[in-house]
């Protein structure tokens, strides 16, 4: 019938349809419309005439904001479903409309939409039910729109289906723009993989998936979102994903700042120039294993961190066990304890250190924190200063030593000179002053010899003149050659040995000087009635030579000093018993040139014993064994006089 009807008849039919019909197309841009058909029923249910609605926005009919979304939905679900919308008419009456939109695009009609609308009376069961659902939908939407959390619903292909307005506040985009964006548009550069993984996890998972990522803001900065996502299923079909996010930027930044400052402190901790150790004390008050050490400590002590963590501070500061109770006591009473010690490295190197220990309370646990400073340089400087002091003292002393014999010789010469013409007196004067002058010449020679030797040793010029020598014979001869002299001083000299003969490779001259020096000291620091013992003991691989006296002895605190060059222990005594303080340092150097050692055992007022240990090493026999007997007797009288020149002698 319609086919044959005129246009007028068609309009009559459309206008009298028991339902609304509207045909429109968009002009320029959505949502402005040009309405071509708007039948009477449409006028009745909306209250607008075609002229009124034409060229206005499609939402003009909706005064309830949310209904715009319903219209949008009607478009997205076009051709598929009916959509229920609620509008208000001119008289502000609520009306429920059922809409179905479909599109047409033919040669004659270009891209238009046909809307079929019918009214659902409000007072029917169905109408009420629809209104109730719509109302709770409105409440729900209000809740969702206004939660602080960021809620969004994505379609299965990650288009935004719903996005809560809070996103706009956090990310800075206008809400309308956000609605048209995809997940990819919000991805911050560098976060692609994290977001792609999150998307994949969501696709695979039926449960909630958690993720934290950076999201791009409108001003190109980023915010950290902590997001929980869950796929939405309807009758087993994936409808999309619901994402609930929280802006955790402040928290993450604080955490990052914390990590950064932790890193900064760790770098500082590891790179300070001091070694730092932290440890606890066990019930007995002994240090337990380290709980923390810095890199500097590991490097300095040549251990790896793992090795260090299985050690205690006593392993690296071996002397600590003797003073640990003192340290703890001072830490507790004074707050800290400062002490000097020696740290031992893995390879056995000794480093002088100054350790400052404090007590530290961490999470209700008590620790000792020790900061150890390498004081090698300071110690070396102290040693250099001490050496410098000794040298200055030595020169002051040596000028006295040089001047005294010269003065004696000079005075004797003056005396002889004053009587030079008195021939009757000449012989008496010469006899009286000659020995004095001679002995003082020996003293000068000894001093000069010693000075030359010290210089030679310092310059590395002193060499050993090695030969195979029977040292039993050598020492016996030396002892014999001075026995008479010593007995003259009212003292006794005894030589003892556990072997008849012992041949070693050595420099006989140097050994002779060593022993003469020690015997001369023994005489110098003993008095009439005292005894001197020279012992030689052979233990196969070593020879031990001891020179012992029952003289004045050396106080314990001075025993480590006497081998230092220029050291004179007791100035008041030294002045009585002349000396320059280089004798023992020369002796030590000469013993060490033989790869031997020298030590002293002494007790004040009881006596002293100097013990020399020499290794027994024989060189390939080149020459005969030296006959020390003749050698000594022939030229040793002079040597003895020189070595003994410090001791005032009335014998001459
Ligand atoms: P000096 O030339 O002054 O004797 P030494 O180096 O031989 O120098 O000795 C250093 C110091 O060691 C002496 O000044 C003395 O105080 C002490 N000393 C050395 N030997 C003895 C000894 N047998 N008994 C007591 N003191 C000694």
């Amino acid at each position: 019938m319609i086919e044959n009807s005129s246009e007028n008849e068609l309009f009559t039919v459309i206008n009298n349809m028991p339902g609304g019909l509207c045909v429109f197309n968009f002009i320029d841009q959505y949502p402005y419309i040009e309405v071509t058909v708007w039948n009477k029923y449409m006028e009745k249910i909306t209250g607008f005439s075609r002229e009124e609605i034409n060229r206005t926005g499609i939402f003009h009919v909706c005064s309830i904001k949310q209904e715009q979304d319903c219209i949008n939905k009607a478009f997205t679900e076009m051709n598929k479903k009916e959509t229920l919308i609620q509008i208000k008419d001119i008289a502000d009456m609520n009306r429920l409309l059922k809409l179905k939109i479909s599109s047409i695009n033919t040669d004659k009609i270009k891209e238009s939409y046909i809307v079929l609308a019918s009214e659902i009376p409000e007072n029917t069961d169905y109408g009420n039910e629809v209104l109730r659902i719509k109302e709770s939908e409105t409440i729900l939407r209000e809740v969702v729109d206004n939660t602080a959390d960021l809620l969004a619903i994505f379609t299965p292909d990650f288009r935004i289906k719903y996005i809560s307005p809070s996103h706009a506040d956090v990310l800075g985009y206008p809400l309308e723009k956000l609605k048209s964006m995809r997940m990819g548009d919000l991805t911050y550069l560098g976060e692609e993989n994290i977001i792609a993984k999150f998307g994949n996890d969501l696709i695979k998972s039926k449960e909630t998936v958690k993720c934290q990522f950076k999201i791009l803001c409108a001003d190109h900065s980023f915010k950290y979102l902590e997001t929980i996502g869950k796929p939405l299923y309807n009758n087993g079909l994936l409808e999309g994903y619901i994402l609930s996010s929280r802006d955790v930027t402040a928290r993450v930044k604080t955490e990052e700042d914390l990590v950064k400052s932790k890193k900064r402190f760790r770098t500082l901790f590891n790179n300070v120039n001091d070694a730092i150790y932290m440890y606890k004390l066990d019930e007995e008050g002994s240090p337990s294993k380290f709980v923390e050490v810095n890199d500097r400590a590991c490097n300095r002590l040549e251990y790896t961190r793992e090795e260090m963590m299985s050690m205690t501070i006593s392993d690296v500061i071996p002397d600590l066990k003797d003073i640990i109770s003192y340290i703890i006591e001072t830490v507790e009473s004074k707050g800290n304890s400062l002490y000097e010690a020696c740290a031992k490295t893995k390879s056995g190197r000794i480093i002088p250190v100054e350790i400052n220990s404090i007590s530290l309370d961490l999470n209700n646990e008590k620790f000792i924190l020790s900061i150890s400073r390498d004081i090698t340089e300071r110690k070396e400087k102290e040693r250099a200063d001490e050496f410098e002091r000794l040298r200055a003292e030595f020169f002051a002393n040596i000028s006295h030593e040089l001047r005294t014999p010269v003065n004696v010789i000079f005075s004797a010469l003056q005396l002889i000179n004053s009587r030079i013409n008195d021939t009757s007196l000449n012989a008496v004067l010469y006899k009286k002053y000659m020995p004095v002058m001679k002995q003082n010449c020996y003293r000068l020679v000894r001093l000069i010899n010693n000075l030359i030797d010290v210089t030679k040793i310092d310059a590395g010029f002193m060499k050993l003149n090695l030969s195979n020598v029977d040292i039993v014979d050598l020492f016996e001869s030396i002892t014999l050659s001075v026995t008479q002299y010593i007995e003259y001083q009212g003292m006794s000299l005894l030589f003892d040995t556990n072997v008849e003969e012992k041949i070693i490779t050595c420099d006989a001259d140097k050994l002779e000087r060593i022993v003469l020096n020690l015997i001369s000291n023994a005489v110098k620091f003993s008095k009439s009635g005292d005894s001197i013992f020279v012992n030689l003991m052979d233990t196969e691989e070593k020879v031990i030579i001891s020179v012992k006296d029952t003289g004045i002895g050396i106080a314990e605190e001075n025993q480590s000093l006497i081998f230092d060059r220029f050291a004179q222990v007791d100035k008041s005594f030294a002045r009585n018993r002349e000396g320059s303080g280089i004798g023992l340092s020369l002796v030590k150097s000469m013993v060490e040139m033989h790869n031997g050692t020298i030590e002293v055992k002494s007790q004040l007022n009881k006596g002293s014993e100097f013990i020399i240990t020499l290794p027994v090493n024989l060189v390939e026999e080149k020459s005969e064994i030296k006959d020390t007997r003749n050698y000594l007797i022939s030229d040793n009288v002079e040597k003895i006089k020189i070595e003994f020149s410090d001791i005032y002698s009335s014998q001459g």
Side-chain angles (χ1 to χ4, degrees):
M1 184 190 86
I2 289 170
E3 248 172 54
N4 301 325
S5 302
S6 67
E7 216 169 279
N8 274 348
E9 279 172 328
L10 192 60
F11 270 110
T12 315
V13 170
I14 288 169
N15 271 333
N16 290 295
M17 269 170 62
L21 177 71
C22 156
V23 179
F24 66 90
N25 58 286
F26 287 105
I27 42 172
D28 299 336
Q29 98 193 78
Y30 184 88
Y32 296 101
I33 49 171
E34 181 178 46
V35 181
T36 45
V37 176
W38 187 261
N39 73 354
K40 280 254 159 50
Y41 197 89
M42 256 344 237
E43 273 181 27
K44 191 184 125 211
I45 55 176
T46 65
F48 292 102
S49 67
R50 189 181 80 89
E51 288 67 32
E52 280 168 328
I53 206 82
N54 195 20
R55 309 192 82 84
T56 62
I58 192 168
F59 305 119
H60 195 72
V61 288
C62 323
S63 52
I64 301 172
K65 182 189 152 286
Q66 284 81 0
E67 298 307 299
Q68 294 182 5
D69 291 337
C70 293
I71 291 179
N72 285 337
K73 201 172 156 210
F75 273 99
T76 48
E77 290 174 352
M78 196 160 51
N79 298 336
K80 276 194 255 161
K81 277 186 188 167
E82 286 174 338
T83 309
L84 285 166
I85 69 161
Q86 190 183 8
I87 60 167
K88 284 187 194 286
D89 64 11
I90 294 267
D92 217 13
M93 290 286 289
N94 275 327
R95 284 176 187 277
L96 273 175
L97 295 188
K98 189 155 77 177
L99 299 182
K100 180 154 185 171
I101 306 181
S102 50
S103 64
I104 49 167
N105 197 0
T106 64
D107 291 346
K108 283 192 181 159
I109 309 167
K110 276 236 148 105
E111 264 200 272
S112 294
Y113 299 92
I114 306 171
V115 181
L116 278 176
S118 55
E119 191 182 11
I120 302 163
E122 230 185 278
N123 48 4
T124 61
D125 285 353
Y126 179 55
N128 285 337
E129 180 64 10
V130 170
L131 271 178
R132 204 184 53 75
I133 292 169
K134 282 208 147 283
E135 206 170 299
S136 51
E137 213 180 281
T138 309
I139 293 167
L140 263 178
R141 190 173 281 271
E142 278 295 302
V143 171
V144 169
D145 279 357
N146 291 297
T147 69
D149 276 1
L150 311 171
L151 295 174
I153 298 170
F154 284 83
T155 59
D157 60 346
F158 291 101
R159 280 178 186 282
I160 291 171
K161 204 165 164 186
Y162 167 78
I163 188 152
S164 66
S166 45
H167 277 88
D169 302 336
V170 172
L171 304 178
Y173 300 97
L175 188 61
E176 283 313 313
K177 185 168 182 199
L178 268 178
K179 283 179 182 169
S180 65
M181 288 168 95
R182 291 175 57 117
M183 190 103 115
D185 301 330
L186 292 166
T187 305
Y188 191 73
L189 198 72
E191 296 286 289
E192 298 81 356
N193 288 347
I194 299 177
I195 291 188
K197 184 178 178 298
F198 179 55
N200 277 337
D201 288 351
L202 269 177
I203 293 168
K204 275 186 266 159
S205 164
K206 295 215 160 180
E207 298 302 316
T208 51
V209 179
K210 240 184 169 181
C211 188
Q212 183 181 301
F213 46 79
K214 288 179 191 169
I215 196 145
L216 184 68
C217 297
D219 63 0
H220 304 292
S221 65
F222 65 84
K223 288 271 164 71
Y224 279 104
L225 293 194
E226 190 181 76
T227 300
I228 298 174
K230 196 180 165 145
L232 281 174
Y233 286 94
N234 191 2
N235 288 330
L237 273 176
L238 181 69
E239 284 224 320
Y241 308 100
I242 177 156
L243 266 57
S244 162
S245 309
R246 203 160 270 188
D247 176 9
V248 290
T249 313
R251 193 191 74 199
V252 174
K253 289 212 165 135
T254 313
E255 279 167 8
E256 280 178 355
D257 284 351
L258 256 173
V259 170
K260 266 191 222 155
S261 85
K262 216 172 137 184
K263 261 193 192 155
R264 256 202 309 273
F265 277 113
R266 170 89 21 218
T267 316
L268 199 74
F269 176 69
N270 281 327
N271 289 291
V272 284
N273 207 18
D274 295 330
I276 304 176
Y277 329 98
M278 204 164 107
Y279 53 92
K280 277 208 271 190
L281 299 172
D282 61 20
E283 291 101 43
E284 281 143 35
S286 305
S288 303
K289 284 180 189 161
F290 292 121
V291 290
E292 189 62 89
V293 288
N294 69 347
D295 285 356
R296 181 74 61 200
C298 303
N299 295 344
R300 189 174 291 163
L301 297 167
E302 302 161 3
Y303 291 103
T304 62
R305 170 167 290 276
E306 289 66 40
E307 286 171 328
M308 283 290 277
M309 296 306 272
S310 65
M311 294 163 67
T312 72
I313 190 153
S314 307
D315 297 326
V316 289
I317 315 276
D319 298 341
L320 194 84
K321 49 186 175 308
D322 306 330
I323 45 169
I324 187 75
S325 51
Y326 162 77
I327 294 170
I328 294 159
E329 233 175 76
T330 12
V331 163
E332 266 160 24
S333 60
K334 279 175 47 193
N336 80 316
S337 158
L338 193 68
Y339 53 95
E340 283 185 12
C342 284
K344 196 173 171 189
T345 69
K346 191 178 180 182
S347 66
R349 213 158 41 86
I350 299 290
I351 306 172
V353 289
E354 182 186 76
I355 303 180
N356 196 354
S357 294
I358 56 164
S359 159
L360 197 71
D361 268 331
L362 270 183
N363 303 328
N364 290 332
E365 282 192 281
K366 234 178 168 184
F367 296 92
I368 300 263
L369 180 78
S370 292
I371 300 172
S372 159
R373 176 160 295 179
D374 182 341
I375 52 166
T376 310
E377 261 175 46
R378 194 213 291 173
K379 283 277 154 197
E380 268 164 14
K381 189 172 177 307
E382 275 173 20
R383 257 199 295 274
D385 288 351
E386 174 64 7
F387 186 75
E388 203 40 52
R389 193 188 61 74
L390 280 170
R391 216 154 69 134
E393 209 172 87
F394 171 71
F395 279 112
N397 195 24
I398 207 111
S399 43
H400 166 87
E401 293 300 317
L402 285 167
R403 209 182 306 123
T404 313
V406 172
N407 277 347
V408 173
I409 298 167
F410 203 55
S411 312
L413 279 174
Q414 269 181 331
L415 258 164
I416 294 169
N417 201 36
S418 66
R419 310 271 172 94
I420 198 102
N421 295 324
D422 189 345
T423 41
S424 63
L425 266 175
N426 275 358
V428 183
L429 282 177
Y430 279 132
K431 207 166 180 241
K432 187 170 175 195
Y433 291 113
M434 207 53 140
V436 179
M437 286 197 283
K438 215 173 161 192
Q439 197 209 345
N440 281 284
C441 282
Y442 284 134
R443 281 182 61 197
L444 285 173
V445 170
R446 181 179 188 241
L447 197 61
I448 291 160
N449 279 352
N450 281 352
L451 280 175
I452 291 169
D453 285 347
V454 164
T455 324
K456 266 193 194 164
I457 286 174
D458 281 354
F461 285 146
M462 168 117 30
K463 293 270 158 6
L464 291 182
N465 183 15
L466 294 175
S467 59
N468 289 342
V469 175
D470 174 7
I471 55 160
V472 178
D473 188 24
L474 176 74
F475 285 109
E476 195 166 14
S477 304
I478 301 169
T479 319
L480 269 177
S481 63
V482 293
T483 309
Q484 197 194 355
Y485 174 83
I486 285 163
E487 281 171 356
Y488 191 81
Q489 306 282 323
M491 303 172 201
S492 63
L493 176 65
L494 287 164
F495 175 77
D496 197 12
T497 171
N498 69 344
V499 275
E500 292 280 299
E501 184 190 76
K502 182 72 190 176
I503 295 165
I504 68 164
T505 303
C506 62
D507 182 329
D509 263 342
K510 303 252 164 16
L511 287 193
E512 185 193 350
R513 279 190 64 192
I514 291 169
V515 174
L516 279 178
N517 210 308
L518 294 179
I519 298 176
S520 144
N521 274 349
V523 177
K524 237 193 316 186
F525 299 102
S526 302
K527 53 192 180 312
S528 176
D530 279 330
S531 311
I532 298 163
F533 306 91
V534 178
N535 281 327
L536 191 150
M537 200 166 80
D538 173 28
T539 66
E540 297 285 321
E541 71 277 11
K542 281 186 286 184
V543 180
I544 300 161
I545 304 130
S546 132
V547 178
K548 192 174 168 185
D549 62 61
T550 55
I552 64 166
I554 307 160
E556 205 176 326
E557 66 268 24
N558 294 326
Q559 288 174 15
S560 58
L561 305 175
I562 54 170
F563 295 107
D564 289 349
R565 194 176 295 170
F566 320 137
Q568 280 182 318
V569 164
D570 189 331
K571 292 285 149 22
S572 55
F573 270 126
R575 286 279 81 86
N576 297 338
R577 301 160 169 83
E578 300 298 335
S580 56
I582 24 182
L584 281 181
S585 98
L586 257 180
V587 164
K588 188 169 186 237
S589 298
M590 289 192 287
V591 168
E592 282 169 356
M593 284 174 85
H594 281 88
N595 293 324
T597 57
I598 181 162
E599 57 172 322
V600 64
K601 286 183 181 162
S602 185
Q603 241 184 315
L604 261 188
N605 304 321
K606 291 248 166 82
S608 312
E609 181 179 13
F610 287 85
I611 302 159
I612 295 170
T613 308
L614 293 179
V616 176
N617 37 3
L618 278 171
V619 288
E620 198 55 28
E621 199 67 52
K622 272 194 226 126
S623 55
E624 305 262 294
I625 294 167
K626 240 182 188 164
D627 183 355
T628 48
R629 223 166 305 212
N630 290 335
Y631 152 83
L632 276 164
I633 288 166
S634 58
D635 61 357
N636 236 27
V637 179
E638 283 297 295
K639 282 185 192 165
I640 294 162
K641 284 190 172 162
I642 292 171
E643 289 301 340
F644 278 57
S645 58
D646 277 351
I647 307 151
Y648 287 122
S649 149
S650 48
Q651 194 191 29

